[in-house]
Amino acid sequence: MFSDTICGWCYIGKERLNQALKQLNLSETIVMNLPFQLNPSMPKNGMDRIEYIKTKFGSIENAKPMYDNMIMQGEQENLQIKLDKIKRTPNTVKSHLLIDLARKYETENKVITDLFETYFNKAKDIGDEEILMSIAKKNNLDANEVQTYLNNEENVKKINKMDDVAKQMGITGVPFYIFNDQLSVSGAQPIEQLVEAIKKSHGEKK
């Protein structure tokens, strides 16, 4: 699953994917979460959210229908998306680095869910290292290792390269799923469609 940690549709898409996996008695640990940056040119410290919306959509009014739909779709999955509480739109590189490190300890799916909840539910800045460290601690990751990992320039380049590769593959928006290297699905599709995609991709392999 390709996603960005500040993408509400990815939060919804992740929950729907988890529900689809549950229906098929599959563990979410089989999911690899790969980085996609919606705003690769975002300043390191992020930017004021209102300013960001105006830059991206032209005005708050232009963004409202899409955001209202996102909130409504989130509610259908029992997710609280509190966009009005969010003050800053962060740069997401370090949050992607935290997911990347968590993969080594097989906790990446818990970490990405915590990142979504921290941003959309608690309206905290997931570009802030202290916030990321608290998520790392919750998931029993070593603080020194996390701090070193997040601030390693080679790791930052790796995330940017992975983002470039996703775009070279033709991915223009997220969530984007690739099932069993055989079938791709774009967007926060309904649970039933994800269930069918998983079945089909595994059926073709047999």
Side-chain angles (χ1 to χ4, degrees):
M1 178 178 174
F2 288 85
S3 57
D4 201 356
T5 48
I6 56 156
C7 165
W9 294 113
C10 296
Y11 185 21
I12 294 163
K14 180 71 177 164
E15 176 58 26
R16 289 178 176 167
L17 179 60
N18 287 347
Q19 294 298 330
L21 291 167
K22 268 183 198 163
Q23 283 190 27
L24 296 167
N25 294 315
L26 295 168
S27 168
E28 65 173 35
T29 57
I30 66 171
V31 181
M32 180 182 273
N33 299 279
L34 297 170
F36 186 93
Q37 293 177 61
L38 291 169
N39 310 297
S41 59
M42 178 65 70
K44 274 190 178 180
N45 296 324
M47 67 191 290
D48 176 80
R49 180 163 168 76
I50 301 295
E51 186 188 333
Y52 166 74
I53 293 169
K54 286 178 179 173
T55 303
K56 187 147 188 163
F57 298 99
S59 70
I60 304 290
E61 290 72 29
N62 288 349
K64 195 174 186 304
M66 191 272 284
Y67 284 144
D68 285 349
N69 185 29
M70 182 192 290
I71 290 165
M72 184 188 72
Q73 297 265 348
E75 283 171 353
Q76 289 176 9
E77 309 305 335
N78 297 314
L79 303 177
Q80 293 186 332
I81 298 178
K82 301 177 181 175
L83 298 178
D84 57 327
K85 300 273 191 284
I86 298 170
K87 301 296 181 208
R88 289 190 74 71
T89 298
N91 179 302
T92 59
V93 170
K94 284 192 175 180
S95 61
H96 285 305
L97 281 169
L98 184 60
I99 297 163
D100 194 55
L101 177 62
R103 185 175 303 119
K104 180 178 161 187
Y105 298 101
E106 297 181 359
T107 57
E108 63 176 291
N109 286 286
K110 287 179 181 168
V111 165
I112 193 169
T113 297
D114 284 342
L115 284 163
F116 284 139
E117 286 178 1
T118 301
Y119 185 64
F120 288 106
N121 197 324
K122 298 173 186 167
K124 291 185 178 175
D125 182 357
I126 56 168
D128 185 307
E129 203 164 301
E130 278 186 35
I131 301 293
L132 294 174
M133 293 304 289
S134 68
I135 293 171
K137 185 180 178 185
K138 183 184 169 188
N139 287 279
N140 301 312
L141 297 173
D142 180 77
N144 290 330
E145 185 181 9
V146 172
Q147 206 155 27
T148 303
Y149 202 84
L150 296 185
N151 291 289
N152 181 306
E153 207 47 53
E154 287 306 308
N155 292 339
V156 171
K157 284 179 188 169
K158 175 185 170 185
I159 293 298
N160 289 329
K161 181 79 195 309
M162 288 167 86
D163 179 57
D164 287 341
V165 168
K167 283 159 185 167
Q168 285 161 15
M169 286 166 64
I171 299 171
T172 55
V174 282
F176 190 92
Y177 313 88
I178 300 175
F179 296 102
N180 210 22
D181 286 333
Q182 294 183 31
L183 184 66
S184 61
V185 175
S186 179
Q189 300 297 336
I191 295 164
E192 302 73 41
Q193 276 185 250
L194 296 176
V195 167
E196 284 308 307
I198 296 167
K199 281 182 179 173
K200 191 175 176 189
S201 65
H202 282 72
E204 286 170 2
K205 189 184 175 189
K206 286 173 187 171

